[in-house]
Amino acid sequence: MRYFWAAFFMFWPIVAIVFFAISPAMNWWFPGAGDPDSLTKGQSMTPLGVDIDNLFYLILIITSVVFVLTHIALGYVLFRGARDEGKKALFSHGSHALEVMWTIVPTGILIFISLYQLDVWRKFRVISSFPEAAVEAPVAEVTARQFEWRIRYPAPGKKLQLKPQPDDLYTVNDLHVPTNRPVMIQLRSEDVQHSFFAPHLRVKQDAVPGQVIPIWFEVTQAGHYPLTCAELCGWGHYKMKARIVAEPQSQFGKYLHDLQHEQNDDGVQDKKSDDAEDE
Amino acid sequence: MRVLQLLILTLVFAACLLGCNRPESTFVYNTKTEELTRDVGSVVKERLDGDFGSPKNSVAWLRMPIDYGTFKGEVVEVDKDASSVYQFRVAFGSNDDKETGDEEEDAETSPTPGEMNLAGLAIIWKSGDYEGGSQIDGGKRDGEKMATLQVAAWSKDEENDEEGVLSLRQKMDPPPSVGDTFEIVGHKLSFGRQLYAAHCQHCHGTSGDGAGPTAEYLNPRPRDYRPGKFKFQSTLKTNRPTDGDLQRIITKGIPGTYMPSFLLLEDDELDSIIQYVKWLSMRGEYEIKLVSQLYFDYEQVVFDEAVESALKDGLEEFEDGTRDEEPTKGSIRDELVATANADLPDIAEQESNVLADAWNKEKLESAVVVPLVARTPDTAESRARGRVLYVQNCSACHGATGRGDGEQVNAYMVNDQTREKYPVPGLFDDWGQSIKPRNLTRGIYRGGRRPVDLFRRVFEGINGTPMPPFKGKFNNDKKINDARTWDLVNYIYHIPFETRGKSAGDSATKHGRTAASTPSTR
């Protein structure tokens, strides 16, 4: 039992390292990391998401190194104290030089992190830094409500207006976006606070009632990605699952065209077009 | 102190032993069923439970036009020496032929027997000694109805989804022979029940009565399916909705209400939920129909009076000598109840046929409302014609400016059933809930926003609500009538984009507006 505390404090860094080492295989990591069949394999599907991941890894490495080193130091001190049983403890008023060092080094690290992440934050959040093409023509307005996502697209060839237009197209829980170009979404909430969370795209943004909040992302790989609500919004919070369908521009255009056709269905048009092959 | 500790320990121990009881999931009966005199009520309940079962033990009543889901199989191996067997090896054939359901159903998405839990499903023998029998006791019951307590377990082979060992709950004596074919019916019902429990039940209730635990926090209230009325359907008002209508509501949700979209359900999940909802609705309506036939005579109060008067007559007859035995209250009661019991099978037969006919797929598909003419182009002239129709037909409820504030909102409505006025002003639906005419300026259309949806709402009205059908109201010529309906639809689409002052100015003054419908008051 002499070495209990030394062993105790050495135990935790090992737990931490093992935990992170097995995380991907246990599916505790980024979505899809542990699954070789998944589309994403744990990678972000947006370029900005890759930057965010890099920030995450950087911070993880810094904190891991600090955590492991401090625990080794602590364990070493405890081990020495336990081993040298007869030795008398030394009384000290502290070391000025040491204190300055352990204040300045962490401060330096924190200042570095806070400055280093600013650029990613600016790209993600500051509208003047959004890609111009995306701001110019928002793809859709997404309105969160208890408990679904209602989506409004402008008619093909038109621009999304703040207020609904007669020819707008509507869907629910089904957000289609073109791939390989930055797209902007206008996020609203109809009732309470919700949060637009697309884990594979590394996008998370609260929807606040009364506000229109722009978000942007650029999906590099076509596919279906989940969209969930990340803000406990009521008893049906768990029902707020939707999908983001990223598809090449041409398919996206076709999708909007089909949507428009469906939305203009007067119950007669399809029967007619069977005969006349127009539309 | 010691005593207290001991007491706490004992209590904790007792709690661990007893555990928490899971609440039993049961169907509730209608209030009217509960108001029947007890003996008759219990017979009705028995009948209902026999035909539809309980949530855990639902019965696939083949008379009802529901796609319960069928897996066809064949016995491939039986223990030859045994005189009776519980289990045998089976192989399921291709299940993607027309028997299983819609043409649209993809072979890829339709489930294989290996994916499904077959326990509790019914087995119907199609060939061999047991042919026609649904019960393994040799088919003594009619093949149409069956308790779904047949399959006990199904363990499929590891590498093959279609083969494995099937265990039954009852013994087969003698065993089936190799090559006997059978169908296992009802996987959609049991799968649908699970999904319904996960997604729908907390609002719509176990019995589909719209009274689940979360229901009381919602306005409008979740639908009670039991009367068999569905608001947003493509079919004529007197008909039931098609599967497609139910699918639209489930996948798209109902904007403006708490019904969310369940778009991410797989096709087979969606299909199973639809079949289960239909089944619940049929169960509820069957109960209502049975009870309504008996209610007039066997409602507790009426029944007590009937017993009294019959007793009086009986005693007179006894004194005259036309009756042999002296009647007592008990004997009279038994006589009357026996009449009800004797009548019930016929009533059940008749009502179940009516119900099956109402949900008949072909019939529903022919009842879909299709406009006779294509939508009139959305021009100013068309809207102006629509505006005139709107003011004449719609503004009493929806208001001159479409805000849903017409004068009917302040009037007292008469209850259709009791013929009495409701105690508070406003409109009420058939479920007795207060409802408001839609505010058309918001551009939220509950039954869908396609032109054909709006056309159907106007043409056929909305089932169960004071929104009446307007078919044939605009013109005697059917085609012209439909063209006028399109004018009105064009105008309704335009209402959210109307400049307020203008529309209120030019027509509301002409058509006697009320203070409440003046736009400036809101």
Side-chain angles (χ1 to χ4, degrees):
Chain A
M1 284 311 283
R2 254 166 89 179
Y3 295 108
F4 174 80
W5 289 110
F8 180 80
F9 283 102
M10 293 310 289
F11 174 69
W12 293 111
I14 295 170
V15 168
I17 289 169
V18 169
F19 179 85
F20 282 107
I22 63 170
S23 274
M26 301 299 288
N27 217 357
W28 298 337
W29 208 242
F30 290 122
D35 178 9
D37 300 333
S38 85
L39 184 68
T40 62
K41 298 189 181 58
Q43 301 300 309
S44 166
M45 290 292 108
T46 56
L48 189 58
V50 174
D51 294 348
I52 294 172
D53 285 1
N54 289 341
L55 272 182
F56 170 81
Y57 283 119
L58 177 74
I59 295 169
L60 181 66
I61 288 164
I62 293 173
T63 50
S64 302
V65 168
V66 170
F67 183 75
V68 170
L69 287 183
T70 48
H71 271 71
I72 287 174
L74 187 58
Y76 174 71
V77 169
L78 290 166
F79 170 75
R80 279 282 301 273
R83 193 191 57 182
D84 308 340
E85 211 174 346
K87 210 171 171 186
K88 215 175 167 191
L90 182 79
F91 180 77
S92 159
H93 274 293
S95 156
H96 191 71
L98 260 178
E99 281 192 27
V100 168
M101 205 171 87
W102 75 50
T103 309
I104 286 184
V105 171
T107 310
I109 293 173
L110 288 178
I111 288 176
F112 165 73
I113 292 175
S114 60
L115 292 179
Y116 185 77
Q117 57 85 38
L118 273 180
D119 192 46
V120 173
W121 182 246
R122 174 182 65 84
K123 285 188 208 156
F124 182 68
R125 201 46 282 166
V126 180
I127 190 152
S128 57
S129 305
F130 282 17
E132 231 170 80
V135 181
E136 196 79 344
V139 166
E141 177 190 273
V142 175
T143 306
R145 69 184 283 263
Q146 289 175 322
F147 297 98
E148 61 191 2
W149 303 90
R150 293 225 159 242
I151 294 143
R152 178 168 68 91
Y153 300 99
K158 292 206 176 165
K159 271 193 182 176
L160 185 75
Q161 304 293 320
L162 210 56
K163 283 191 172 171
Q165 300 300 307
D167 52 0
D168 280 340
L169 305 175
Y170 294 83
T171 58
V172 55
N173 283 359
D174 193 17
L175 176 62
H176 285 239
V177 292
T179 48
N180 291 319
R181 77 170 167 91
V183 291
M184 194 169 99
I185 305 289
Q186 298 282 25
L187 187 62
R188 284 173 183 262
S189 168
E190 206 172 87
D191 32 45
V192 298
Q193 238 183 50
H194 299 276
S195 185
F196 181 100
F197 181 34
H200 298 79
L201 313 181
R202 312 287 192 264
V203 176
K204 189 188 268 181
Q205 173 60 52
D206 276 15
V208 183
Q211 282 192 31
V212 183
I213 301 174
I215 42 178
W216 80 275
F217 49 86
E218 178 182 346
V219 192
T220 47
Q221 175 143 21
H224 289 209
Y225 302 104
L227 162 63
T228 60
C229 178
E231 181 75 63
L232 183 59
C233 57
W235 55 263
H237 171 59
Y238 69 99
K239 284 184 195 286
M240 281 189 77
K241 271 188 296 188
R243 67 166 180 234
I244 296 175
V245 179
E247 53 201 2
Q249 180 69 44
S250 59
Q251 274 180 42
F252 176 67
K254 186 180 176 305
Y255 169 76
L256 282 188
H257 185 266
D258 292 348
L259 189 62
Q260 191 178 37
H261 183 76
E262 201 239 315
Q263 201 153 295
N264 288 330
D265 183 13
D266 61 0
V268 187
Q269 65 176 17
D270 288 328
K271 291 194 173 133
K272 260 193 183 164
S273 61
D274 284 347
D275 306 334
E277 291 276 323
D278 56 5
E279 270 293 320
Chain B
M1 205 53 205
R2 177 63 47 100
V3 179
L4 192 69
Q5 270 182 359
L6 209 67
L7 189 71
I8 291 173
L9 270 177
T10 322
L11 282 176
V12 168
F13 185 66
C16 290
L17 272 185
L18 294 172
C20 302
N21 260 347
R22 295 190 111 199
E24 189 67 22
S25 123
T26 49
F27 286 139
V28 293
Y29 301 102
N30 252 325
T31 39
K32 276 197 164 179
T33 313
E34 303 289 4
E35 281 165 19
L36 291 177
T37 183
R38 211 185 55 207
D39 296 331
V40 176
S42 63
V43 178
V44 171
K45 288 176 189 173
E46 223 170 79
R47 184 96 208 169
L48 192 65
D49 293 346
D51 289 342
F52 284 89
S54 63
K56 277 195 173 162
N57 243 327
S58 32
V59 176
W61 193 4
L62 295 189
R63 179 175 296 179
M64 294 302 156
I66 291 176
D67 178 14
Y68 292 111
T70 307
F71 289 129
K72 286 178 179 176
E74 192 183 336
V75 180
V76 291
E77 200 183 314
V78 194
D79 184 0
K80 281 201 187 87
D81 307 326
S83 64
S84 61
V85 289
Y86 276 108
Q87 50 178 235
F88 40 86
R89 270 190 76 78
V90 297
F92 287 97
S94 59
N95 283 287
D96 43 359
D97 50 355
K98 18 193 156 23
E99 268 297 307
T100 39
D102 301 346
E103 316 80 52
E104 290 150 46
E105 204 174 351
D106 225 334
E108 273 174 47
T109 58
S110 67
T112 61
E115 293 169 339
M116 305 302 289
N117 174 19
L118 302 184
L121 300 190
I123 179 165
I124 310 178
W125 291 93
K126 288 289 167 185
S127 70
D129 294 343
Y130 290 96
E131 185 179 343
S134 63
Q135 293 285 86
I136 35 190
D137 58 13
K140 278 175 196 146
R141 281 183 65 178
D142 63 318
E144 177 192 73
K145 194 189 293 181
M146 59 212 129
T148 55
L149 260 173
Q150 314 279 333
V151 179
W154 149 248
S155 68
K156 70 174 190 86
D157 291 357
E158 244 172 55
E159 70 284 358
N160 191 346
D161 259 8
E162 312 261 308
E163 262 191 69
V165 175
L166 197 69
S167 318
L168 301 184
R169 291 211 177 142
Q170 286 146 287
K171 226 175 218 177
M172 290 189 79
D173 183 13
S177 16
V178 172
D180 282 2
T181 55
F182 59 85
E183 286 178 2
I184 291 184
V185 179
H187 70 265
K188 285 189 187 173
L189 202 60
S190 65
F191 191 39
R193 188 187 77 78
Q194 287 171 26
L195 294 162
Y196 182 86
H199 298 294
C200 323
Q201 187 165 296
H202 59 83
C203 284
H204 288 288
T206 311
S207 328
D209 52 1
T214 47
E216 61 177 303
Y217 307 109
L218 310 185
N219 181 18
R221 283 298 184 101
R223 186 63 41 238
D224 172 3
Y225 315 125
R226 294 176 305 173
K229 278 181 193 161
F230 293 82
K231 280 166 85 168
F232 306 116
Q233 56 188 35
S234 60
T235 50
L236 297 170
K237 192 172 179 171
T238 45
N239 285 89
R240 302 297 179 275
T242 64
D243 284 10
D245 294 338
L246 296 175
Q247 180 181 340
R248 245 189 112 70
I249 293 294
I250 296 172
T251 53
K252 310 240 165 190
I254 306 179
T257 76
Y258 267 100
M259 175 74 189
S261 148
F262 293 92
L263 184 81
L264 298 192
L265 289 174
E266 301 290 338
D267 285 352
D268 62 319
E269 294 179 321
L270 195 57
D271 186 33
S272 299
I273 290 185
I274 291 170
Q275 304 306 329
Y276 190 73
V277 167
K278 276 162 59 176
W279 182 79
L280 273 185
S281 171
M282 288 179 205
R283 182 195 167 275
E285 202 180 347
Y286 183 56
E287 181 184 3
I288 290 175
K289 281 177 182 294
L290 288 187
V291 172
S292 70
Q293 294 275 351
L294 296 167
Y295 194 75
F296 189 69
D297 293 327
Y298 296 99
E299 190 264 328
Q300 187 67 59
V301 180
V302 176
F303 181 73
D304 286 345
E305 283 168 12
V307 170
E308 289 295 334
S309 73
L311 185 63
K312 225 163 143 195
D313 297 348
L315 283 172
E316 277 170 20
E317 281 170 21
F318 180 65
E319 274 161 26
D320 298 349
T322 43
R323 197 182 172 110
D324 297 340
E325 285 169 46
E326 182 174 0
T328 63
K329 217 170 186 179
S331 70
I332 293 285
R333 190 187 301 256
D334 289 347
E335 269 174 41
L336 290 176
V337 169
T339 326
N341 288 356
D343 288 348
L344 194 62
D346 286 342
I347 296 174
E349 176 79 18
Q350 186 193 338
E351 295 300 347
S352 60
N353 281 336
V354 170
L355 197 55
D357 183 52
W359 281 95
N360 182 291
K361 213 171 168 177
E362 285 83 43
K363 194 179 156 185
L364 290 184
E365 265 151 26
S366 65
V368 170
V369 175
V370 179
L372 292 177
V373 291
R375 182 182 175 188
T376 317
D378 186 15
T379 58
E381 294 78 47
S382 166
R383 285 179 204 162
R385 288 194 297 270
R387 167 76 194 167
V388 173
L389 290 173
Y390 178 85
V391 171
Q392 287 165 353
N393 296 291
C394 317
S395 61
C397 289
H398 291 282
T401 52
R403 285 167 172 266
D405 54 2
E407 60 263 25
Q408 283 301 322
V409 174
N410 301 318
Y412 287 84
M413 190 176 143
V414 176
N415 186 334
D416 258 358
Q417 269 143 31
T418 60
R419 301 270 155 222
E420 277 168 30
K421 276 187 180 171
Y422 282 99
V424 285
L427 300 172
F428 288 83
D429 63 18
D430 287 4
W431 294 269
Q433 308 283 342
S434 157
I435 57 166
K436 287 177 183 151
R438 194 63 39 240
N439 179 345
L440 299 170
T441 63
R442 296 196 58 204
I444 293 175
Y445 308 103
R446 292 190 177 174
R449 59 180 312 122
R450 296 173 305 173
V452 67
D453 294 324
L454 265 66
F455 183 94
R456 284 171 181 154
R457 297 296 92 77
V458 174
F459 190 83
E460 267 303 317
I462 298 174
N463 212 353
T465 74
M467 171 79 187
F470 284 97
K471 58 177 166 192
K473 289 260 174 77
F474 304 143
N475 200 300
N476 288 332
D477 184 292
K478 279 185 177 173
K479 276 194 173 177
I480 299 177
N481 178 73
D482 283 8
R484 291 290 85 80
T485 310
W486 282 126
D487 289 336
L488 181 55
V489 168
N490 285 340
Y491 174 68
I492 292 170
Y493 272 122
H494 180 64
I495 290 177
F497 307 100
E498 259 185 338
T499 29
R500 295 273 153 71
K502 208 175 143 199
S503 70
D506 59 23
S507 58
T509 40
K510 272 186 255 168
H511 295 276
R513 64 182 158 167
T514 60
S517 64
T518 315
S520 59
T521 56
R522 289 256 172 109

